Amino acid sequence: MANPLPREYYQYLGELQSVDFVLVELTLYLDTHPDDAQAIAQFGQFQRRKMALMSQIENAYGPLREYGNSPAGNHWSWADSPWPWQV
């Protein structure tokens, strides 16, 4: 890799992984407690945070997702930076 990624990139990815963990756990909980309004509200809060984080990361460092789930912009940058699982 020619350019080392800034520390912020790793901080964003770390937070994204934490948010994903919470969303998985809330999903499992809500599968058995579908009427828990507080858990549903928390799920929505973390879902919004995930979308905001993904947008910040993609705007600054390039796409995280393939198959039309990330903005392409004016340059096809999918292979420009390391993929999230490579860092």
Side-chain angles (χ1 to χ4, degrees), residues 10-80:
Y10 299 100
Q11 290 171 336
Y12 280 137
L13 282 185
E15 185 178 352
L16 184 58
Q17 288 173 336
S18 297
V19 168
D20 277 342
F21 177 82
V22 171
L23 286 169
V24 167
E25 293 298 311
L26 283 170
T27 297
L28 295 172
Y29 175 81
L30 285 166
D31 284 347
T32 58
H33 301 81
D35 298 321
D36 187 330
Q38 183 178 1
I40 293 169
Q42 287 177 333
F43 185 89
Q45 174 189 354
F46 280 95
Q47 188 178 39
R48 287 186 297 278
R49 182 61 188 144
K50 177 181 178 161
M51 294 299 112
L53 273 170
M54 291 183 78
S55 179
Q56 288 174 311
I57 294 168
E58 289 178 331
N59 287 335
Y61 305 106
L64 289 171
R65 303 163 289 166
E66 183 56 287
Y67 305 114
N69 293 308
S70 290
N74 295 326
H75 168 73
W76 188 255
S77 58
W78 178 249
D80 288 353

